[in-house]
Amino acid sequence: MASDAPAAEQQQRYSHRTLVFTYGTLKRGFSNHPLVQELVQSGDASFVGAAVTASRLPLVCGPYRVPFLLNLPGEGDRVAGELYAVTPRGLARLDDLEGVSRAHYERLPIAVDLAEGARVDGAFAYYAHRDYAAELWRRSGEKGYPEYSHAVADGYIRRKDRPQGQTFLEQIRIFVST
């Protein structure tokens, strides 16, 4: 029973928070991490640890080198990222950034393994929306990345620097059709 104590303590510590696995621009050192830093400073998020997906999932880049995790279990690689515990207020901010209400991404369950070896089954990640995920996988040549590194992100264009006049969904549709 003593071996269950750390897991039970961790569960209690994050009982009113949602565990969110970040794999792309929300990670430390990437363009959207300042939002996570702001959430940490306000008490709406805390870093849990480095993590990797428990199963293989495709991580691909879409238009403007935007990273997308695809809900196609068994394809791709185990993807490296970071796990955060987020309050409901923080989660609303992340949902807004990720365009959940606009069908850019969808927040779905994911199992991850923390660097120290603990399995976390109750986490969530932002996956490419199901309406275009398979098309992104085909467009990538059914090849993904085990990590969104700075080399993979090379050429990333921030939202404010992208062409205006088209929605992100329109940009995705153009990308997958070329």
Side-chain angles (χ1 to χ4, degrees), residues 2-148:
S3 65
D4 291 338
E9 287 173 18
Q10 189 173 31
Q11 196 93 19
Q12 178 64 27
R13 180 176 175 195
Y14 301 123
S15 64
H16 298 294
R17 293 178 175 234
T18 300
L19 296 172
V20 177
F21 175 72
T22 64
Y23 56 85
T25 62
L26 287 167
K27 293 189 317 179
R28 290 174 290 180
F30 290 88
S31 63
N32 286 320
H33 189 69
L35 172 60
V36 175
Q37 289 175 308
E38 183 182 319
L39 295 176
V40 168
Q41 289 170 352
S42 68
D44 288 310
S46 57
F47 180 70
V48 176
V52 64
T53 59
S55 62
R56 292 175 29 220
L57 293 164
L59 171 62
V60 301
C61 288
Y64 312 113
R65 301 300 293 168
V66 172
F68 291 92
L69 190 64
L70 308 179
N71 192 15
L72 301 170
E75 302 289 347
D77 297 287
R78 293 183 70 202
V79 175
E82 299 169 353
L83 192 66
Y84 291 87
V86 182
T87 66
R89 183 172 52 194
L91 196 60
R93 300 268 316 272
L94 293 176
D95 283 355
D96 184 55
L97 174 78
E98 301 292 6
V100 171
S101 67
R102 298 179 304 279
H104 298 171
Y105 290 85
E106 49 191 341
R107 181 169 30 94
L108 300 170
I110 191 168
V112 297
D113 294 328
L114 292 171
E116 72 260 7
R119 169 73 46 97
V120 177
D121 290 314
F124 288 84
Y126 291 96
Y127 292 88
H129 195 275
R130 68 190 77 188
D131 287 349
Y132 58 83
E135 293 172 82
L136 279 173
W137 185 229
R138 280 191 296 277
R139 172 65 165 75
S140 74
E142 298 188 358
K143 292 186 173 135
Y145 302 99
E147 180 176 17
Y148 190 70

Side-chain angles (χ1 to χ4, degrees), residues 149-168:
S149 64
H150 288 285
V152 170
D154 189 39
Y156 174 80
I157 299 174
R158 292 173 183 257
R159 188 175 301 172
K160 67 180 181 63
D161 297 325
R162 296 176 195 156
Q164 303 301 306
Q166 292 177 325
T167 68
F168 190 52

